[in-house]
Amino acid sequence: MKTTDEGYINKNNQKNLGYRGMSETHNNQKFFEMECLDCGHKYMANGCDVWLRKCPNCQDNSNVLRLCIQKKRFFYK
């Protein structure tokens, strides 16, 4: 499966929901909708970034542990 295929899940647990018909971005890349499988947040990513994207909602720039709730279970980020 290619990273730009709908349904692709990268190593950071981000799922590619597919191309959304938006205008092209740098280096002729297109926007793809992504969904974080940890928190459910949806956001857009360039096609060349799909394989490495992390959820902007879950990212924490400090060294503080974050407690997240997903599907009635707890896990640490």
Side-chain angles (χ1 to χ4, degrees):
M1 176 175 275
K2 296 188 306 185
T3 60
T4 53
D5 289 343
E6 189 171 333
Y8 171 81
I9 300 172
N10 73 14
K11 65 181 181 178
N12 298 312
N13 213 25
Q14 307 301 298
K15 184 177 183 178
N16 180 350
L17 299 179
Y19 174 64
R20 293 300 180 236
M22 297 184 75
S23 63
E24 296 180 356
T25 61
H26 75 282
N27 296 324
N28 295 323
Q29 296 293 312
K30 296 179 179 168
F31 277 128
F32 290 83
E33 185 175 12
M34 302 292 288
E35 178 182 20
C36 177
L37 298 179
D38 294 330
C39 75
H41 180 69
K42 293 182 180 178
Y43 60 96
M44 303 303 284
N46 289 323
C48 62
D49 296 334
V50 169
W51 71 277
L52 57 74
R53 283 305 305 254
K54 293 181 181 178
C55 175
N57 193 49
C58 290
Q59 283 190 42
D60 186 26
N61 293 329
S62 68
N63 290 325
V64 178
L65 282 177
R66 291 181 56 154
L67 181 64
C68 298
I69 302 172
Q70 178 199 19
K71 299 179 183 175
K72 300 180 183 176
R73 61 182 183 193
F74 294 92
F75 60 94
Y76 287 99
K77 288 290 208 192

